[in-house]
Structures are given as C-alpha cells and as structure tokens.
C-alpha cells in the first residue's frame, strides 16, 4: 500500500537531456547506456 503523500521520483529535464546525449554517443559504455535508458524510462512514465 502506498503512503498518502507518496510521490514517485522522476528524472529532471536536464538529466533526461544528458541521458539522450549518452545514448547518441557511439563511445558510451554499455553501463552508461543502461543507466541513461533507465533515466529516460523514469522520465517518460512517472
């Protein structure tokens, strides 16, 4: 059960923008891409 004042965290616009840059960078590592993808999913669905 969720608390009454519960607000799920959401990725900021700046963080989402940076995540997009990481995903477009051909030199980013798989770990960086995974973290960036996770941030964008939280941005979209929260």
């Amino acid at each position: 059960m969720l608390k009454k004042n519960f607000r799920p965290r959401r990725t900021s616009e700046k963080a989402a923008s940076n995540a997009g840059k990481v995903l477009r960078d051909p030199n980013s590592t798989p770990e960086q891409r995974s973290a960036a993808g996770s941030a964008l999913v939280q941005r979209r669905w929260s």
Side-chain angles (χ1 to χ4, degrees):
M1 177 181 249
L2 296 177
K3 292 183 181 180
K4 194 172 191 177
N5 295 331
F6 176 77
R7 287 182 97 176
R9 292 187 178 220
R10 192 169 129 182
T11 304
S12 70
E13 279 188 46
K14 186 172 183 178
S17 176
N18 287 337
K21 289 177 185 176
V22 168
L23 291 175
R24 288 190 300 272
D25 181 1
N27 297 318
S28 61
T29 66
E31 292 83 9
Q32 289 172 320
R33 289 177 177 271
S34 177
S38 177
L40 289 177
V41 166
Q42 290 177 22
R43 174 73 183 162
R44 182 172 180 192
W45 296 109
S46 294

